[in-house]
Amino acid sequence: MTSQKEPQEGLSAPAKVTGPSSWSRVSCPCCISSHIEPLVLIQLAENIQPITKQWIMSVISAPVKAGGAQLLVHPGEDMKGDMIVVAAPRCTLLRVTEDLGLCKTYQDGNMTAFSFEDRDNFCNIDDMQQFLTLAERQYIVKHELDSMRAREDQRIPGIPAPKGKLKARESILQKLEKAGVIRNITPLHKQKLLSALGKQWYSHKSLWGQPLDSIHAYFGGTIAYYFSFLDYYTLSLFPPAILGLFITFFLPSANFSSGNKTESAPAPPKDDDDTPSVSSYMVQAVFSMLWSTVFMELWKRRSAALSYRWGTFNLAEQFQEPRPGFHGELGTNPVTGRLEPLFPEWKRRLRIGLVSVPVVGVFLGLVVMGMAGFYFFERLFSNWHKASGSYFTAVLLYLPSIAHIVYTNVLGNIYRNVALKLTEAENHREESSFDYHHTTKVLVFTFFNNFAVLFHIAFFKEDMPLLRKRLSSLLIVTQVVNQFTEVVVPFLVDRFLTSADRNLKEDDPEVDHLQAQGSLPAFPGLFAEYIELLVQFGYLSLFSCVYPLTAPLLLLNNLTEIRTDAYKLCKLFNKPFSAPVANMGVWQTAFEVLSFISVMSNCWLLLLSPRVKDLTEDAGLSSSKVLVIAVIVEHALIMVKMILAFMIPDEPDWVRIKREQIEYHSMQALKKQRIMRSRVEDKVPLKA
Amino acid sequence: MTSQKEPQEGLSAPAKVTGPSSWSRVSCPCCISSHIEPLVLIQLAENIQPITKQWIMSVISAPVKAGGAQLLVHPGEDMKGDMIVVAAPRCTLLRVTEDLGLCKTYQDGNMTAFSFEDRDNFCNIDDMQQFLTLAERQYIVKHELDSMRAREDQRIPGIPAPKGKLKARESILQKLEKAGVIRNITPLHKQKLLSALGKQWYSHKSLWGQPLDSIHAYFGGTIAYYFSFLDYYTLSLFPPAILGLFITFFLPSANFSSGNKTESAPAPPKDDDDTPSVSSYMVQAVFSMLWSTVFMELWKRRSAALSYRWGTFNLAEQFQEPRPGFHGELGTNPVTGRLEPLFPEWKRRLRIGLVSVPVVGVFLGLVVMGMAGFYFFERLFSNWHKASGSYFTAVLLYLPSIAHIVYTNVLGNIYRNVALKLTEAENHREESSFDYHHTTKVLVFTFFNNFAVLFHIAFFKEDMPLLRKRLSSLLIVTQVVNQFTEVVVPFLVDRFLTSADRNLKEDDPEVDHLQAQGSLPAFPGLFAEYIELLVQFGYLSLFSCVYPLTAPLLLLNNLTEIRTDAYKLCKLFNKPFSAPVANMGVWQTAFEVLSFISVMSNCWLLLLSPRVKDLTEDAGLSSSKVLVIAVIVEHALIMVKMILAFMIPDEPDWVRIKREQIEYHSMQALKKQRIMRSRVEDKVPLKA
């Protein structure tokens, strides 16, 4: 079936890896094909014994019933080499597509949860390379490798006893990775596809538009969602950027005079007599709040549409095999009836509540301590500087800031390890739930780390000029650091690597090409990328009314960010595995929480703005009365935000209808099936 | 089938209404039965013409295909009488059971969504009186009556033109009610069952335990949920009541001295040297917060268990016919494929956001204005009193309170009508969604109405003695008023009614018994009952630390409340229809929101408590520092609350597993069904 289509990819020249000759045999007739597509590269330790390699290959190619992964393996150059190339037969691909709950186009044109038995009614079923995207095929291989488990206590041949002992139900892959036998598992690039994608993506001359569907097909769900969001976010930055520029250059009085007022003598209000109450502060604060709400609501709609388009709106992770790191007492899952480790939910919740949360709390305390230290030394040095006034003490003034940034970075690194360990101890059953809890931990910390100082300046010191200074320096430092690490370093690395890599010519043995792919560093994940966006979004939605140039600066940053991220992903790292997902997961929640906090923040900044202060002083209001008014305004704004969010539905109507149709039909089907079953039981004598 | 079982109810003596003689004919053979159970009484206007009555009866008994309700009707005494008795044939009962998505015991012992085609595998299917509860049978009749719609433009015979004109798809029942033809629709009591239930319920000597399953069977879902919650709530009041009594009688110094301190000279701290920091205030505030959290979490678990037990965890309201009041352009529902009115969701959201919310806001503003007026006059009269000091002005002092209570009550009544109109204009498709939005509107207002003054006293005036005075008077006034309206009035009404009612003897014609039932007033709904509980709960969780006797008083109130509510429901009103529901709906949310606000409230009351004030003054903290500390403590407490809520899962494990099993099986079934269908399409030539 696959053979009907001519191979198109770069690796499909008549080299030996793509031909069926030296691949392991397939067991079922429908999967026999003249063309086998290598999908994943497993890199072994260099000193690995052939007997161990042989054993690994046999496990991977064994049928699922025998505890294998039912995949196809190829030994690379020879049995002594340190690599195994893995491909997937058609049956395995289709079976796992069903297990994952992926939706594909049905004959009636709707996206429908794939079913193996019903496969002939799905479009493109004869050509795996059209039916599943490259990223999906590779993720399926990874998924199957991950779910290989030892069927009984046994030993891995060629590995000494303590490391090589496999207990029943233990994850084989995890064991091999821990024992150092497997160095690395990488999905393989397809050079032709990749260069076509790259041309569309980052070599493209126009500033706008990313090939999102191609990114999804080539790199997979999580990565496609990141770039979709980045795309959408950058586009959404235009309105605040234009407003920011307008305020900065056309209303300079309202903006900059307020900063100087507190330092110098109060300047007479010259040319803003015609705008007495609506200062730039207010416009910016109210706009910020509305913008961040509409921004998140429209993204939710877009996200729902994407998940339908990409067939991931019906993922069934809770009914799959648990993730490899999951452990527990072996038992029968009461829902699916499968034998698997079970771990009670209440134990997990207890661990989260009584261990994870307090530990995270301690780290947040350390952040606050760091902040206290920063202020202590800043006051100390500024007193010295006042006393001496020399150039040396002037330089010293910058020391606390720098020390604080270093401290928070070091603390952040320690914390990241702790967060991983804690989440592992919570023993989540699903990969997505693990990610959610892990990310949340790091997120909370990062948020605290980045914003505690700003909040302190804004609301306790109430020092707007300092806030503005700090915000602008943070923005500029972040930009410079990011541009450096994301543009300059990549460029240098690429130049440097090129010399080693480009020597490979088209006619070199394919194995060398494969080898070269494994030599790149592993992709560090989207964590850092998302956090960068989140922190940016925080600066913008929480404090931008103080520093109107925030949005234009961020827009500039994002326009380069898209290209550099794309370049990085395509060229500088190994291709990552990327699971099919239905949304941004915890990041969406994080952005929403920030946009909620932004209402409060903007409201209080408004209250502290010099114009409002003047107004309230003129009106002779006591500070407690002003506070009451502020609370009322804040609650009214939160109401407005919630009404706005309510009025924009989270999914487009057509997605909602599709979802409800599936819900309705499966309810009907369950009833029908019960009837069928009971009729069969009643009337037909059992054959077995 | 039904005939196999001997009739047991009071009405089943050989009177004519229960025999099949004068009932309308049933169309299908399985529904023919020698015993017909009268379920619902329709009372017509007294001057109704026989031709109209005949028409109504024919519509009700017509099959669904012909636009009828497929029910059985009986004309009561004769065709001239003003009543119609309605019963339901077996097929109709079963069909609607499936439509509603009710779950019943399957042959394997699990609660399973009922399916008509698969009916023979459900337990008790042969006896409708065991298979469905009385309340369910009656609700089904009501549901079918409600869904009768005119098939084309027609006239109701015997009714003049403007009132008697029916448009196509118009709800027949609504039209008849609007035209004044139908006065009343009441489910019928079963005297034997009712007196047995009453004996168990309110004549019972023991204070504890209500027959919840019998209440559910006899009165139905919403009512059973109310009493379950009342039961649970009363039980949960014991811990705070004991604490409250303990604080009042064993720690009197900390409690009452603080009230006098502000009025008289500061008394020397005598006998509380051994409890320097943990005053009764703090204990009560922290306890209140923890208690309200655990209370709601455990209720959620109980609620989930009840909904499984009562077979309502899988209701499918969104796939049913829309509620009678729903209007819109006629079209095909894209999900179920049925012809019905359609109304776009965005229009509804627009109406809610741009009309309902602002109007509700205006009314809340009126509440605040009323409060302002109250304070203005209170100050005015208290100044007069100070000036004159006569008995007359002393009486005047109570006038603002009384005027304010009257004002809020009048405003509340106007608002209730406005809220109903607004919710009708929002045009909700489902009954439950209508209820949700309607209740929310009234709730928000009631909350404001009841608590605005208390919040004002507590947080703006910061006058603890006044708060205590006001709280205790509110509690005592509420108790007295409630006990009066709920015990004394019912008792008098009962005595009064008895003379008219008890004259009926066992051997009087059944029709007179039926007639007597229709003569009671309509049950006013659970709205007032729930709001009473919610306001109570608010007093307790928000302010009880100020007045520790709140909980004991509430406990006393609830113990009588259970009995009087039960008595009222059984004896003093017509039996109400009660829909099968899966939880308390919006009330659960309301209690949760209150329990959330209670954290903040308690935290600020703590801050304002005399002991803490002394402590902070002794420590020499500035008021802004104290505020910062309070904010931190508040957030920490909210964290603790959220962690606690997280650690107690919302549903018991066994319910979660059952739910997931159904989800899993219906997913599987949908796939199976598609295969079946495609095989049938492929291989079997179509017969039709």
Side-chain angles (χ1 to χ4, degrees):
Chain A
M1 312 225 172
T2 322
S3 59
Q4 291 171 353
K5 192 161 169 70
E6 276 306 298
Q8 293 176 331
E9 283 72 26
L11 284 171
S12 59
K16 61 177 179 176
V17 177
T18 45
S21 55
S22 54
W23 283 92
S24 57
R25 294 273 163 269
V26 286
S27 45
C28 68
C30 76
C31 297
I32 293 170
S33 155
S34 68
H35 167 68
I36 292 175
E37 178 194 39
L39 286 171
V40 170
L41 177 73
I42 301 178
Q43 286 182 291
L44 305 171
E46 280 178 20
N47 55 352
I48 202 73
Q49 292 184 30
I51 186 173
T52 313
K53 183 171 174 180
Q54 185 65 49
W55 181 82
I56 295 172
M57 286 176 62
S58 73
V59 171
I60 294 177
S61 60
V64 171
K65 280 179 196 165
Q70 207 157 357
L71 296 167
L72 301 174
V73 284
H74 188 285
E77 209 159 2
D78 56 29
M79 281 308 290
K80 280 178 196 153
D82 59 353
M83 64 198 238
I84 299 175
V85 184
V86 186
R90 186 168 175 268
C91 279
T92 304
L93 288 175
L94 293 181
R95 182 175 47 77
V96 183
T97 306
E98 173 168 2
D99 284 352
L100 292 174
L102 286 179
C103 295
K104 291 287 162 190
T105 317
Y106 202 62
Q107 57 179 13
D108 61 3
N110 285 321
M111 295 300 271
T112 308
F114 179 71
S115 152
F116 185 73
E117 280 193 76
D118 193 22
R119 58 189 175 279
D120 293 334
N121 285 314
F122 283 84
C123 301
N124 295 324
I125 192 70
D126 289 333
D127 182 0
M128 279 304 103
Q129 310 205 0
Q130 277 200 32
F131 181 69
L132 293 165
T133 68
L134 175 65
E136 281 166 353
R137 295 195 298 274
Q138 289 175 333
Y139 179 75
I140 286 173
V141 170
K142 169 87 160 96
H143 184 266
E144 285 307 283
L145 289 175
D146 275 342
S147 45
M148 287 190 306
R149 279 163 193 275
R151 305 195 71 208
E152 65 228 327
D153 289 5
Q154 63 186 112
R155 278 198 48 199
I156 303 170
I159 310 285
K163 279 186 178 177
K165 243 188 177 172
L166 262 173
K167 275 180 221 144
R169 298 276 322 158
E170 206 173 0
S171 164
I172 294 175
L173 207 71
Q174 274 208 327
K175 190 79 190 178
L176 289 171
E177 278 173 340
K178 268 190 199 156
V181 177
I182 291 181
R183 273 191 299 153
N184 206 347
I185 301 180
T186 331
L188 288 167
H189 272 299
K190 303 235 165 177
Q191 293 303 337
K192 271 196 187 164
L193 279 180
L194 181 62
S195 55
L197 178 65
K199 212 169 275 174
Q200 264 191 292
W201 200 2
Y202 55 85
S203 314
H204 208 246
K205 285 295 163 282
S206 94
L207 270 175
W208 215 249
Q210 297 179 63
L212 293 178
D213 281 336
S214 311
I215 297 172
H216 175 255
Y218 192 84
F219 281 107
T222 48
I223 288 174
Y225 259 101
Y226 168 72
F227 281 101
S228 306
F229 182 71
L230 184 54
D231 195 66
Y232 170 77
Y233 178 37
T234 309
L235 188 61
S236 311
L237 275 175
F238 273 102
I242 291 166
L243 184 73
L245 289 175
F246 180 81
I247 286 174
T248 311
F249 296 111
F250 294 91
L251 295 170
S253 63
N255 181 38
F256 290 111
S257 67
S258 61
N260 303 329
K261 243 181 215 168
T262 47
E263 286 160 20
S264 63
K270 273 183 290 187
D271 50 1
D272 46 46
D273 289 312
D274 47 347
T275 55
S277 61
V278 186
S279 85
S280 67
Y281 256 79
M282 284 187 183
V283 172
Q284 185 92 28
V286 170
F287 177 84
S288 238
M289 193 204 83
L290 294 178
W291 174 81
S292 68
T293 308
V294 173
F295 168 70
M296 277 320 292
E297 289 302 311
L298 292 182
W299 165 251
K300 276 192 234 162
R301 288 171 70 87
R302 193 169 156 69
S303 167
L306 285 176
S307 91
Y308 183 79
R309 187 182 176 85
W310 292 338
T312 56
F313 61 106
N314 198 24
L315 296 177
E317 210 179 356
Q318 83 215 75
F319 303 133
Q320 288 170 35
E321 282 269 298
R323 67 182 193 88
F326 182 70
H327 52 85
E329 253 180 74
L330 208 61
T332 312
N333 184 322
V335 177
T336 58
R338 272 196 291 255
L339 195 73
E340 61 179 41
L342 300 176
F343 187 77
E345 181 66 23
W346 62 265
K347 250 192 199 171
R348 180 175 308 128
R349 287 177 184 245
L350 227 58
R351 286 185 190 175
I352 294 174
L354 301 181
V355 180
S356 300
V357 175
V359 172
V360 172
V362 166
F363 272 89
L364 297 185
L366 287 176
V367 172
V368 175
M369 271 177 55
M371 197 173 71
F374 162 71
Y375 283 113
F376 176 75
F377 284 107
E378 198 185 42
R379 214 176 304 129
L380 193 71
F381 291 153
S382 106
N383 288 342
W384 282 1
H385 181 60
K386 270 183 200 152
S388 70
S390 71
Y391 282 108
F392 172 68
T393 52
V395 172
L396 261 188
L397 280 181
Y398 286 87
L399 201 61
S401 286
I402 294 165
H404 186 238
I405 288 169
V406 170
Y407 172 78
T408 50
N409 277 328
V410 170
L411 199 63
N413 284 331
I414 298 172
Y415 179 76
R416 227 158 271 155
N417 288 322
V418 173
L420 189 66
K421 285 272 176 304
L422 284 175
T423 317
E424 270 166 9
E426 287 164 15
N427 197 18
H428 293 276
R429 188 184 177 283
E430 281 102 40
E431 199 67 53
S432 64
S433 150
F434 179 88
D435 284 349
Y436 191 95
H437 282 266
H438 182 217
T439 312
T440 309
K441 286 191 189 66
V442 183
L443 246 177
V444 169
F445 182 80
T446 311
F447 182 81
F448 228 75
N449 223 342
N450 278 284
F451 290 100
V453 174
L454 292 178
F455 271 109
H456 183 268
I457 296 172
F459 302 119
F460 299 127
K461 293 185 121 182
E462 305 187 0
D463 187 349
M464 291 304 122
L466 181 61
L467 180 62
R468 187 173 304 119
K469 207 173 76 186
R470 179 114 192 153
L471 195 59
S472 59
S473 69
L474 264 173
L475 275 171
I476 289 159
V477 167
T478 314
Q479 300 249 6
V480 169
V481 170
N482 279 339
Q483 298 300 336
F484 184 77
T485 53
E486 296 193 9
V487 185
V488 183
V489 174
F491 184 76
L492 291 178
V493 170
D494 193 32
R495 284 277 131 163
F496 175 73
L497 272 179
T498 312
S499 58
D501 204 17
R502 295 245 169 106
N503 291 340
L504 286 173
K505 282 167 202 144
E506 280 292 310
D507 53 345
D508 273 349
E510 223 188 311
V511 173
D512 290 353
H513 281 279
L514 295 178
Q515 204 82 36
Q517 281 200 27
S519 65
L520 291 170
F523 184 70
L526 294 168
F527 212 99
E529 309 291 339
Y530 268 123
I531 280 208
E532 196 189 323
L533 291 191
L534 186 76
V535 169
Q536 277 191 8
F537 182 74
Y539 292 153
L540 180 62
S541 61
L542 299 176
F543 301 112
S544 73
C545 65
V546 177
Y547 186 58
L549 278 179
T550 310
L553 281 175
L554 290 185
L555 182 59
L556 252 175
N557 181 63
N558 277 11
L559 283 174
T560 55
E561 180 87 21
I562 293 178
R563 312 297 140 182
T564 51
D565 279 356
Y567 182 74
K568 217 165 70 176
L569 190 63
C570 293
K571 290 281 183 180
L572 303 180
F573 293 103
N574 271 341
K575 191 178 176 207
F577 287 104
S578 163
V581 287
N583 50 49
M584 293 202 300
V586 70
W587 296 102
Q588 186 156 310
T589 320
F591 275 90
E592 275 189 274
V593 170
L594 255 192
S595 114
F596 201 85
I597 298 177
S598 87
V599 178
M600 301 181 227
S601 160
N602 277 308
C603 191
W604 292 104
L605 285 177
L606 209 61
L607 183 72
L608 299 173
S609 79
R611 184 65 55 101
V612 174
K613 271 191 177 162
D614 293 352
L615 275 178
T616 52
E617 270 166 33
D618 292 352
L621 290 168
S622 73
S623 69
S624 74
K625 283 249 172 82
V626 172
L627 210 73
V628 171
I629 293 169
V631 169
I632 291 169
V633 169
E634 187 201 322
H635 282 73
L637 287 178
I638 288 179
M639 272 298 286
V640 169
K641 185 190 165 68
M642 279 162 64
I643 293 166
L644 207 62
F646 170 80
M647 290 206 307
I648 305 173
D650 282 1
E651 23 176 39
D653 266 6
W654 62 272
V655 174
R656 183 180 53 78
I657 288 169
K658 299 272 184 195
R659 191 174 46 71
E660 284 183 355
Q661 275 173 346
I662 290 171
E663 212 173 302
Y664 180 69
H665 289 312
S666 63
M667 207 177 74
Q668 301 295 335
L670 181 62
K671 289 176 184 167
K672 288 270 154 50
Q673 194 200 28
R674 279 207 316 265
I675 301 161
M676 293 288 188
R677 202 190 307 136
S678 71
R679 275 188 199 152
V680 169
E681 279 166 13
D682 288 357
K683 288 164 199 168
V684 182
L686 286 170
K687 281 174 190 170
Chain B
M1 314 222 174
T2 323
S3 60
Q4 291 170 354
K5 193 163 168 70
E6 277 305 299
Q8 293 177 333
E9 284 73 24
L11 285 171
S12 59
K16 61 179 178 178
V17 177
T18 45
S21 54
S22 53
W23 283 93
S24 58
R25 294 274 163 268
V26 285
S27 46
C28 69
C30 75
C31 297
I32 293 170
S33 155
S34 68
H35 167 68
I36 292 175
E37 180 194 37
L39 286 170
V40 169
L41 177 72
I42 301 179
Q43 287 184 291
L44 305 170
E46 281 180 16
N47 56 352
I48 200 77
Q49 291 184 28
I51 187 173
T52 313
K53 184 170 174 182
Q54 185 65 51
W55 181 82
I56 296 173
M57 286 176 63
S58 72
V59 171
I60 295 177
S61 59
V64 170
K65 280 179 197 165
Q70 207 156 358
L71 296 168
L72 301 174
V73 285
H74 187 284
E77 208 158 1
D78 55 33
M79 282 309 289
K80 282 178 196 150
D82 60 352
M83 63 196 238
I84 298 173
V85 184
V86 186
R90 184 169 177 268
C91 279
T92 304
L93 287 176
L94 294 181
R95 180 175 50 77
V96 183
T97 305
E98 173 168 3
D99 285 353
L100 292 175
L102 286 178
C103 296
K104 291 287 162 190
T105 318
Y106 203 62
Q107 57 179 10
D108 62 2
N110 285 320
M111 295 299 270
T112 308
F114 179 72
S115 151
F116 184 73
E117 281 194 74
D118 193 22
R119 58 189 175 278
D120 293 334
N121 286 314
F122 283 85
C123 299
N124 294 323
I125 193 71
D126 289 333
D127 182 0
M128 279 302 105
Q129 311 205 358
Q130 278 201 32
F131 181 69
L132 292 164
T133 67
L134 175 65
E136 281 165 353
R137 296 195 298 274
Q138 291 175 331
Y139 179 76
I140 285 172
V141 170
K142 171 87 159 96
H143 184 266
E144 286 306 283
L145 290 175
D146 275 342
S147 45
M148 288 190 304
R149 280 165 193 271
R151 308 194 71 210
E152 65 229 327
D153 289 5
Q154 64 184 112
R155 278 198 48 200
I156 304 171
I159 310 284
K163 279 186 176 177
K165 243 186 176 171
L166 263 173
K167 275 181 221 143
R169 297 275 325 158
E170 205 173 2
S171 164
I172 295 175
L173 207 70
Q174 273 208 327
K175 189 78 189 179
L176 290 171
E177 279 173 341
K178 268 189 200 158
V181 178
I182 291 180
R183 274 190 299 152
N184 207 346
I185 301 180
T186 331
L188 288 167
H189 273 300
K190 302 234 164 178
Q191 293 303 338
K192 272 195 187 165
L193 280 179
L194 181 62
S195 55
L197 178 64
K199 212 169 275 173
Q200 263 190 294
W201 200 1
Y202 54 84
S203 315
H204 207 247
K205 287 293 163 286
S206 93
L207 272 175
W208 215 248
Q210 298 178 63
L212 293 179
D213 281 336
S214 311
I215 298 172
H216 174 255
Y218 193 83
F219 282 107
T222 47
I223 288 175
Y225 259 101
Y226 169 71
F227 282 101
S228 307
F229 181 70
L230 184 54
D231 196 67
Y232 170 78
Y233 177 37
T234 310
L235 188 62
S236 312
L237 275 176
F238 273 101
I242 291 165
L243 183 73
L245 288 174
F246 181 80
I247 285 174
T248 311
F249 295 112
F250 294 93
L251 295 171
S253 63
N255 181 37
F256 289 111
S257 67
S258 61
N260 303 328
K261 242 181 217 170
T262 48
E263 288 160 20
S264 64
K270 274 185 290 190
D271 49 1
D272 46 46
D273 289 312
D274 45 348
T275 55
S277 62
V278 186
S279 85
S280 66
Y281 256 81
M282 284 188 182
V283 173
Q284 184 93 27
V286 170
F287 176 84
S288 238
M289 194 205 82
L290 293 178
W291 174 81
S292 66
T293 309
V294 174
F295 168 71
M296 277 319 292
E297 288 302 311
L298 292 182
W299 166 252
K300 276 191 235 163
R301 287 172 70 88
R302 193 169 157 69
S303 169
L306 285 176
S307 91
Y308 183 79
R309 187 183 177 84
W310 293 338
T312 56
F313 61 106
N314 199 24
L315 296 178
E317 212 180 354
Q318 83 215 76
F319 303 133
Q320 288 171 35
E321 282 269 299
R323 68 182 193 89
F326 181 70
H327 52 84
E329 253 180 75
L330 208 62
T332 311
N333 184 321
V335 176
T336 58
R338 271 197 291 256
L339 193 74
E340 61 179 40
L342 300 177
F343 187 77
E345 182 66 23
W346 62 265
K347 251 192 198 171
R348 181 175 307 129
R349 287 176 183 245
L350 228 58
R351 285 184 191 177
I352 294 174
L354 301 182
V355 181
S356 301
V357 175
V359 172
V360 172
V362 166
F363 272 89
L364 297 185
L366 287 176
V367 172
V368 174
M369 269 176 56
M371 199 173 69
F374 163 70
Y375 283 113
F376 175 75
F377 284 107
E378 198 184 42
R379 214 175 305 128
L380 193 71
F381 291 153
S382 110
N383 288 342
W384 283 1
H385 181 61
K386 269 182 201 153
S388 72
S390 71
Y391 282 109
F392 172 70
T393 51
V395 172
L396 263 189
L397 279 181
Y398 286 89
L399 201 62
S401 287
I402 294 165
H404 185 238
I405 288 170
V406 170
Y407 173 78
T408 51
N409 278 327
V410 170
L411 198 64
N413 284 329
I414 298 172
Y415 179 77
R416 225 158 273 154
N417 288 320
V418 173
L420 189 66
K421 285 273 175 304
L422 284 175
T423 317
E424 270 166 8
E426 287 165 14
N427 197 18
H428 293 276
R429 189 184 177 283
E430 281 103 39
E431 199 66 53
S432 64
S433 150
F434 180 88
D435 284 349
Y436 191 95
H437 282 267
H438 181 216
T439 313
T440 308
K441 286 192 188 67
V442 184
L443 247 177
V444 169
F445 182 79
T446 313
F447 181 81
F448 228 75
N449 223 342
N450 279 281
F451 291 100
V453 174
L454 292 178
F455 272 108
H456 183 269
I457 297 172
F459 302 119
F460 299 127
K461 293 186 118 181
E462 304 188 358
D463 186 349
M464 291 303 122
L466 181 61
L467 181 62
R468 187 173 303 119
K469 207 172 77 186
R470 179 114 191 152
L471 196 59
S472 59
S473 68
L474 264 174
L475 275 170
I476 290 161
V477 167
T478 315
Q479 300 249 5
V480 169
V481 170
N482 279 339
Q483 298 300 334
F484 184 77
T485 54
E486 296 193 8
V487 185
V488 182
V489 174
F491 184 75
L492 292 177
V493 169
D494 194 32
R495 284 276 131 164
F496 175 73
L497 272 179
T498 313
S499 57
D501 205 20
R502 294 246 170 105
N503 292 339
L504 288 172
K505 282 169 203 140
E506 279 293 310
D507 53 346
D508 273 346
E510 226 186 310
V511 173
D512 291 351
H513 282 279
L514 296 179
Q515 204 82 35
Q517 281 200 28
S519 66
L520 291 171
F523 184 71
L526 294 167
F527 212 99
E529 310 290 339
Y530 268 123
I531 279 208
E532 197 189 321
L533 291 191
L534 186 76
V535 169
Q536 277 190 9
F537 181 74
Y539 291 154
L540 180 63
S541 61
L542 300 177
F543 301 111
S544 74
C545 65
V546 176
Y547 186 59
L549 278 180
T550 311
L553 281 175
L554 290 185
L555 182 59
L556 252 176
N557 181 63
N558 278 10
L559 284 175
T560 55
E561 180 87 22
I562 293 178
R563 312 298 140 181
T564 52
D565 279 354
Y567 182 74
K568 215 165 69 174
L569 190 64
C570 293
K571 291 281 182 179
L572 304 179
F573 293 102
N574 271 341
K575 191 178 175 208
F577 288 103
S578 163
V581 287
N583 50 49
M584 293 202 300
V586 70
W587 296 103
Q588 187 156 310
T589 320
F591 275 90
E592 275 188 273
V593 170
L594 255 191
S595 113
F596 201 84
I597 298 177
S598 87
V599 178
M600 302 181 225
S601 161
N602 278 307
C603 191
W604 292 102
L605 284 178
L606 209 61
L607 183 71
L608 300 174
S609 80
R611 184 66 55 100
V612 174
K613 272 191 175 162
D614 292 353
L615 275 178
T616 51
E617 271 166 31
D618 292 353
L621 290 167
S622 73
S623 69
S624 74
K625 284 249 173 82
V626 172
L627 210 74
V628 170
I629 292 169
V631 169
I632 292 169
V633 169
E634 188 202 321
H635 283 73
L637 287 178
I638 288 179
M639 273 298 287
V640 169
K641 185 189 167 69
M642 279 163 65
I643 294 166
L644 207 63
F646 170 80
M647 290 206 309
I648 306 174
D650 282 1
E651 24 177 37
D653 266 5
W654 63 271
V655 174
R656 183 180 52 77
I657 288 169
K658 298 272 184 195
R659 193 174 45 71
E660 284 183 353
Q661 274 173 348
I662 290 171
E663 213 174 302
Y664 180 68
H665 289 311
S666 61
M667 207 177 72
Q668 300 295 333
L670 180 62
K671 289 175 184 167
K672 288 272 153 50
Q673 195 201 26
R674 279 206 318 264
I675 301 160
M676 292 289 187
R677 204 190 307 137
S678 71
R679 275 187 200 153
V680 169
E681 280 165 11
D682 287 357
K683 288 164 198 169
V684 182
L686 285 172
K687 280 175 190 170

